[in-house]
């Protein structure tokens, strides 16, 4: 019987890490081919095209690299792959998953996975995650579900997933909504309907710079005051609570919002920004009056990805509509 075809792009991360020099820590070393060989069972499920497109810690991936991975993934689907798996580091996975999610327009699943324990550690989770990711990519019920992340036996939608623990095996969660599905023995079970995602056109440029600053107790305004002069094209603030900043930040943000898009998200880790509850200086109502836009459920890092993509395709003036749509799509 002709087995279905899957494509795997390996980008590095803990899944690919080993120690080269004793005592110096693990670094990306293991190729995609070797990862595949670590799970012999996989070759009974599918035929594979594997490419090591990078061997990097995920903190050092960049937008250009993601765009070439995206075009590689689309090419694989054109060549008959029924699904594509990307293996990468988990540190920036919530951002890269969001990036792909805005741009992936195929009905074939794009699955991202990684590992919390390196290949050399006892109980390494990489092989199990890779096997699960392939099972999800092969499952008929994964079609039309866009970009998903498979980690530790759970399936999360790219739009909701966050890294919520630095080192635990259960490092990822989707605040409020929970996982979209789970693996039960070797079957893929979805627990709810897919949240639809807006699609964006490919960015025409990649040089845009979007700053992300977190509001913190009694913080000065030095960095904020220099944002425009430094040439940033957009700004995301991880605000207090429901999307708030101090009075001194609010004053500076008003000036910035006259020139570049400003999004206020919440630094709380879960939940939405408010729109019309608080009226003090620095509150969401005040910041909206001053020209900022509220991120809703989008976390600061995902909001920055959205803004980067919009500026990249010259649609920053449509940001308000996209943020509104985003909330609609969450429902
Ligand atoms: N700790 C990270 C990981 O889980 C390292 C990285 O993101 O590359 O892969």
């Amino acid at each position: 019987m002709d087995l279905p075809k899957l494509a795997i792009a390996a980008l590095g991360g803990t899944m690919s890490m080993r120690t080269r020099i004793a005592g110096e820590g693990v670094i990306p070393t293991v190729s995609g081919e070797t990862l595949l060989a670590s799970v012999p069972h996989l070759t009974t499920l599918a035929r594979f095209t594997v490419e090591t497109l990078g061997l990097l810690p995920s903190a050092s991936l960049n937008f250009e690299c993601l765009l070439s991975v995206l075009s590689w993934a689309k090419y694989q689907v054109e060549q008959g792959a029924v699904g594509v798996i990307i293996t990468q580091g988990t540190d920036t996975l919530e951002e890269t998953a969001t990036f792909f999610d805005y741009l992936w327009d195929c009905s074939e699943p794009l699955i991202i996975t990684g590992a919390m324990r390196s290949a050399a550690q006892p109980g390494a989770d990489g092989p199990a995650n890779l096997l699960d990711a392939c099972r999800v990519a092969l499952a008929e019920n994964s079609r039309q579900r866009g970009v998903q992340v498979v980690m530790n036996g759970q399936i999360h939608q790219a739009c909701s997933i966050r890294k919520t623990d630095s080192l635990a095996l259960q490092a990822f969660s989707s605040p409020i909504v929970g996982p979209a599905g789970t693996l039960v023995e070797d079957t893929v079970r979805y627990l709810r309907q897919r949240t639809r995602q807006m699609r964006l056109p490919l960015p025409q440029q990649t040089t845009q710079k979007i700053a992300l600053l977190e509001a913190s107790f009694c913080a000065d305004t030095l960095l904020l005051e220099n944002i425009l002069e430094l040439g940033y094209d957009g700004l995301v603030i991880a605000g207090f609570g429901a999307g708030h900043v101090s009075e001194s930040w609010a004053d500076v943000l008003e000036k910035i919002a006259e020139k570049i898009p400003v999004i206020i998200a919440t630094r709380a880790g879960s939940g939405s920004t408010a729109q019309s509850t608080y009226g003090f200086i620095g509150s969401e109502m005040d910041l909206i009056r001053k020209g900022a836009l509220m991120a809703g459920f989008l976390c600061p890092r995902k909001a920055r990805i959205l803004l980067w993509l919009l500026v990249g395709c010259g649609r920053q003036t449509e940001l308000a509509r996209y943020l509104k749509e985003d909330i609609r799509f969450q429902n």
Side-chain angles (χ1 to χ4, degrees), residues 12-15 17 28 56-59 88-92 114-116 163 166:
T14 297
M15 192 184 245
M17 293 197 197
L56 291 166
S58 69
Q88 67 153 90
T90 58
D91 288 352
T92 62
M116 294 306 295
K163 188 171 190 179
S166 55

